[in-house]
């Protein structure tokens, strides 16, 4: 028997699937290359603006972008029927090993260009469509193949854990949020209601030990993307969304 997904999870999966299908339009605004090229020419471009917005969104919405909007989510979640194996948390550092030199390069190029001197949201996307030339098709299929391949062979959302250049912007944002403890979107758990059935672990998009988090009454985890699968699959209603500050 095929178990039906909770309605909220069906909506979420529908949104990230549409986002993935729209990726030929949006790719350049999430590109690790366009921001580098823009820095070298002193141009604030679509990617820089989008990554800045991701950082700002994390100050109030945590990593909800990752759970609810990102095309990378859609392209990996469609592989879940093929490989739902959890990804080890031992590989989470890899994205930082990519992100730190990349951001350093962007800062260095921008300084060499004498700083940012103009804003062009459509920089390198003059037609408004990201994939509009043969070479861009190659880049598009390359990016999709890497994410899909990782999800298929390494496990659930393996690309999010390892190679994503966007996640650290949001992780830094939610870290700052937690330092100040201001009100924002997060998960809270009533540990006394938890039966330790571990169903939430099975459904967690990021392969987290959610039952341990719920039992400890601490749902804060830098890899949590607020997808809500643990909220929606828990029969005991232990976990819920909350817009609140941290203690
Ligand atoms: S970790 Fe990266 S690829 Fe995964 S959902 Fe977040 S931004 Fe998208
Ligand atoms: S699904 Fe609910 S009851 Fe079961 S371990 Fe997770 S939080 Fe506890
Ligand atoms: S802990 Fe819950 S909200 Fe966070 S990634 Fe796992 S299933 Fe999604």
């Amino acid at each position: 028997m095929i178990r039906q997904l909770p309605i909220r999870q069906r909506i979420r999966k529908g949104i990230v699937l549409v986002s993935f299908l729209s990726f030929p339009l949006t790719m350049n605004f999430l590109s690790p290359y366009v921001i580098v090229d823009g820095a070298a020419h002193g141009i604030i471009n679509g990617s820089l603006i989008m990554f800045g917005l991701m950082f700002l969104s994390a100050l109030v919405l945590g990593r909800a972008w990752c759970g609810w909007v990102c095309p990378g989510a859609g392209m990996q979640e469609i592989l879940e029927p093929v490989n739902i194996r959890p990804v080890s948390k031992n590989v989470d550092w890899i994205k930082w090993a990519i992100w730190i030199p990349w951001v350093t390069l962007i800062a260095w190029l921008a300084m060499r260009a004498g700083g940012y001197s103009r804003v062009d949201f459509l920089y390198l996307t003059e037609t408004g469509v990201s994939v509009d030339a043969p070479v861009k098709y190659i880049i598009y299929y390359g990016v999709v193949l890497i994410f899909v391949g990782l999800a298929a062979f390494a496990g659930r959302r393996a690309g999010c854990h390892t190679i994503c250049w966007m996640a650290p912007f949001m992780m830094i944002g939610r870290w700052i949020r937690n330092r100040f403890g201001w009100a924002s979107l997060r998960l809270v758990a009533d540990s006394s209601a938890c039966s330790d059935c571990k169903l939430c672990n099975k459904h967690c998009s990021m392969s987290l030990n959610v039952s341990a988090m719920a039992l400890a009454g601490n749902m804060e985890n830098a890899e949590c993307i607020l997808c809500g699968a643990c909220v929606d699959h828990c029969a005991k209603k232990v976990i819920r969304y909350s817009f609140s500050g941290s203690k």
Side-chain angles (χ1 to χ4, degrees):
M1 192 181 88
I2 298 173
R3 196 174 175 278
Q4 281 237 320
L5 277 174
I7 181 78
R8 181 161 51 189
Q9 290 305 309
R10 273 186 274 163
I11 293 169
R12 186 186 69 77
K13 282 182 179 290
I15 294 170
V16 296
L17 180 61
V18 169
S19 178
F20 169 39
L21 295 176
S22 309
F23 192 48
L25 299 176
T26 59
M27 181 178 76
N28 277 7
F29 306 104
L30 306 170
S31 164
Y33 171 72
V34 172
I35 189 173
V36 169
D37 195 296
H41 295 92
I43 298 168
I44 296 174
N45 50 80
S47 287
L48 178 55
I49 292 168
M50 286 302 295
F51 298 151
L53 288 174
M54 284 179 202
F55 165 75
L56 292 176
S57 79
L59 297 174
V60 279
L61 297 173
R63 290 183 62 186
W65 161 275
C66 296
W68 287 83
V69 187
C70 182
M75 70 181 82
Q76 293 178 91
E77 290 199 9
I78 55 168
L79 268 291
E80 285 184 356
V82 177
N83 186 357
I84 204 162
R85 200 168 61 216
V87 174
S88 162
K89 66 177 184 183
N90 295 335
V91 297
D92 289 341
W93 61 271
I94 296 174
K95 57 182 167 291
W96 291 99
I98 296 168
W99 189 83
I100 292 169
W102 173 64
V103 166
T104 305
L105 174 68
I106 291 165
W108 178 71
L109 287 172
M111 277 193 290
R112 209 181 60 161
Y116 286 103
S117 54
R118 74 183 169 95
V119 181
D120 181 358
F121 188 74
L122 294 179
Y123 182 65
L124 298 184
T125 319
E126 285 71 20
T127 63
V129 175
S130 297
V131 182
D132 61 355
V135 68
K136 293 182 180 174
Y137 274 97
I138 294 169
I139 296 166
Y140 169 80
Y141 285 117
V143 172
V144 173
L145 264 179
I146 290 169
F147 273 96
V148 164
L150 279 168
F153 294 107
R156 197 174 204 174
R157 276 193 183 238
C160 295
H161 287 277
T162 55
I163 59 159
C164 181
W165 56 92
M166 297 174 277
F169 291 108
M170 290 169 275
M171 294 171 89
I172 293 169
R174 71 177 288 292
W175 180 82
I176 293 170
R177 169 201 80 174
N178 284 348
R179 291 286 293 180
F180 287 93
W182 59 59
S184 63
L185 189 66
R186 56 182 82 236
L187 299 177
V188 292
D190 173 10
S191 54
S192 63
C194 179
S195 62
D196 201 17
C197 68
K198 301 197 186 329
L199 202 59
C200 46
N201 297 359
K202 186 177 151 207
H203 287 286
C204 178
S205 305
M206 292 298 282
S207 312
L208 305 179
N209 190 350
V210 192
S211 57
M213 291 154 60
L215 280 168
N218 180 6
M219 297 301 294
E220 286 302 323
N221 187 304
E223 295 293 335
C224 174
I225 55 170
L226 295 176
C227 68
C230 56
V231 178
D232 294 330
H233 285 282
C234 176
K236 304 267 184 189
K237 304 289 175 215
V238 172
I239 306 166
R240 63 180 171 83
Y241 282 114
S242 168
F243 197 86
S244 56
S246 62
K247 290 178 223 119

